[in-house]
Each structure stands twice: as structure tokens, then as C-alpha cells.
Amino acid sequence: MAIFKGAGVAIVTPFHEDGSIHYEKFAQLVEEQIAGGTDAIIVCGTTGESSTLTHEEHLDLIRFCVETVKGRVPVVAGTGSNCTQTAVYLSQEAEKYGADALLLVTPYYNKATQNGLFAHYKKVADSVKLPIILYNVPSRTGCNIQPQTAVRLCTEVENIVGIKEASGNISQVAKLQSLADGKVDVYSGNDDQIVPILSLGGKGVISVLSNVAPRQTHDICQKFFDGDVEGSMQEQLRAIDLCDALFCEVNPIPVKAALNLMGKEVGPARMPLSEMEPQNVERLKKAMQEYGILAKEA
């Protein structure tokens, strides 16, 4: 049984202008996501700027998210680290706070071997009872989970159940699924590849796009599940320019800018991330207007 099927939002972390977490705004975003049909909330991921949160902030935000969601959809907590013991600590605390599942990014910077990745993930998984989704994003971590390693983890470690695949390599996803024999729940980690990964047996997406278009992202998945592959494909293609604009600078700079353009007031990104370049703001505004989530200027 998959942790969730459909579109899970990799939710942003809103900040006050002084850089502190804006909890009231976070609660508003959660409510809007659930009302918009989002199938899961993924808190403290890359889009949530987990790399700049203190451990105390990180865990407090997970606790607050669980309390806000109140069991209406699954809460998947990002608890990965490039230090195995830190990942164990964060994962155990998230379990205490009532998270439904964990998302564990590959150790970044260390560049572990495949055997090192297996040992790292097994150590974390053995420390908790929660189901775990591996997170493969080599463009950010310098480390790629090979298909054989992902299948081995999901086969040999009982509570490792899936992978967020953000390698961008559809051939790698196909190879993974050919080896998996149904043992790996695959989620797209790229909003422009939802339908391709669903067509290979994927369970859904962990999405940046959902922050600004929750209903539409949910519908891409739901139409596919309902057998309307043509409708799903059309929704995917309609979103391509917006997806491109949301990644024209490093995530989450553009998505926070987009939410602010929509009047959501999620504040700035934390340093070392910076304000979006003016020409890219214009590109983003145009894509949002063409997609229909931002009014065209008179």
C-alpha cells in the first residue's frame, strides 16, 4: 500500500522579513493545499529550505505541520542529512511527532558509494518504524542511487518502500521499474515528468508546481489514474512553460517569488539564496499569466 497516490506538495517554508518561520502563514498554506486536492504534504524538503533550518526549527515545523494537518492527508517529513547519525536523530524525532512517513535525501557532498548508500539508509530505517521514501536528486547532491541499489533497499529493508526520482533520467526510471517487480513506489521528483513516470508505473509526484497549482497538479495524476491518459497528458503539456519558469533559478527561489506574486506573502528565501533576477521575474509572471494563475496586467 503506497504512502500516497497522486500529487504531494513539497511545501515551502514561509518566513517573516526577519527570517523567522511564519507559522501562521504556513498553516494557511497547508489549508489551501488540502482544499485544493493535494494528496500529501511533504514538509522540510528541498523546497522547504531544510538545509538552512536549525535542528530545532526543522523538528518544530514537522510537529506544527502534523498538528495542522490533523490526519487529513499524509505528512511526509524530510529528515535526510549527509551525516547518518543526524538523519537517525531527525527521523526518530519526526516519528515521535506523528509524521506518517519520511523522505530521506541521499547524503550530499560526501558522495557515498552504492554500498555506503545502502548502509546509510539501512541504519536510518532500522532506527524507526515509519515507511521511508528515498530521495534521489544527483544534480544537488553529487550522488546517484543506482536502480539496483534502490531495488535492493526496498526489497531487503522492510520499511523502505519507495523513491522520489529527481534524476531527470527517464531511462534510469525505466531500468528501476524493470528490476523492481512492483516492490518500489516511484514518485516523480520533476514536475515536467509526471506523466512519463506515471506511464512507467509511478504512484505520483512530489511537486513544486503544487505550491501554486495544487488542483491542476492533482488532476494530472488523477486523470491518468482514471484512464484519461489524453487529458492527463494535455494538463502536463499545458504546465511545461510554467514548470520551466519555476526552475529558471534554483528551487525554491522562483516558487517563493511566484507565491508572493499571487499575494501569499511567504517572504524571502534564506541566505545563501537570493532574490530572483528581474528578467526571470518577468519570465515567471508571463508563464503564470498564460497558465491562468496570475491576472494579466491591464
Side-chain angles (χ1 to χ4, degrees), residues 174-275:
K175 179 66 173 178
L176 168 62
Q177 290 288 55
S178 76
L179 297 172
D181 192 28
K183 295 184 178 70
V184 184
D185 293 338
V186 178
Y187 297 93
S188 177
N190 297 88
D191 286 307
D192 61 351
Q193 293 183 346
I194 303 171
V195 172
I197 286 180
L198 291 177
S199 74
L200 289 169
K203 300 294 185 185
V205 60
I206 295 176
S207 170
V208 175
L209 177 65
S210 284
N211 280 281
V212 296
R215 178 61 64 185
Q216 295 92 324
T217 314
H218 166 84
D219 285 351
I220 291 173
C221 297
Q222 195 57 52
K223 285 177 184 289
F224 190 96
F225 298 145
D226 290 343
D228 183 9
V229 176
E230 176 72 21
S232 174
M233 181 193 70
Q234 290 303 327
E235 283 291 333
Q236 172 80 89
L237 295 178
R238 191 171 78 84
I240 291 297
D241 286 348
L242 179 56
C243 292
D244 288 346
L246 287 170
F247 287 89
C248 68
E249 291 188 22
V250 70
N251 179 48
I253 291 173
V255 73
K256 291 194 95 171
L259 287 164
N260 287 328
L261 287 169
M262 295 169 75
K264 304 294 187 183
E265 299 177 346
V266 299
R270 278 187 175 175
M271 292 179 68
L273 299 184
S274 57
E275 292 296 313

Side-chain angles (χ1 to χ4, degrees), residues 10 12 44-52 81-82 103 105-112 135-145 164-168 189-191 206 208 246-256 269-274:
V12 303
C44 293
T46 303
T47 312
E49 298 177 73
S50 59
S51 59
T52 63
S81 173
N82 61 341
L103 179 70
V105 70
T106 51
Y108 37 89
Y109 190 77
N110 311 48
K111 301 181 78 170
Y135 179 13
N136 192 37
V137 57
S139 65
R140 296 189 81 121
T141 65
C143 190
N144 182 38
I145 306 175
K164 175 185 176 183
E165 243 302 335
S167 67
N190 297 88
D191 286 307
I206 295 176
V208 175
L246 287 170
F247 287 89
C248 68
E249 291 188 22
V250 70
N251 179 48
I253 291 173
V255 73
K256 291 194 95 171
R270 278 187 175 175
M271 292 179 68
L273 299 184
S274 57

Side-chain angles (χ1 to χ4, degrees), residues 4 7-12 40-45 74-78 103 205-207:
F4 73 93
V9 62
I11 198 165
V12 303
I41 307 290
I42 292 80
V43 61
C44 293
V75 172
V76 182
L103 179 70
V205 60
I206 295 176
S207 170

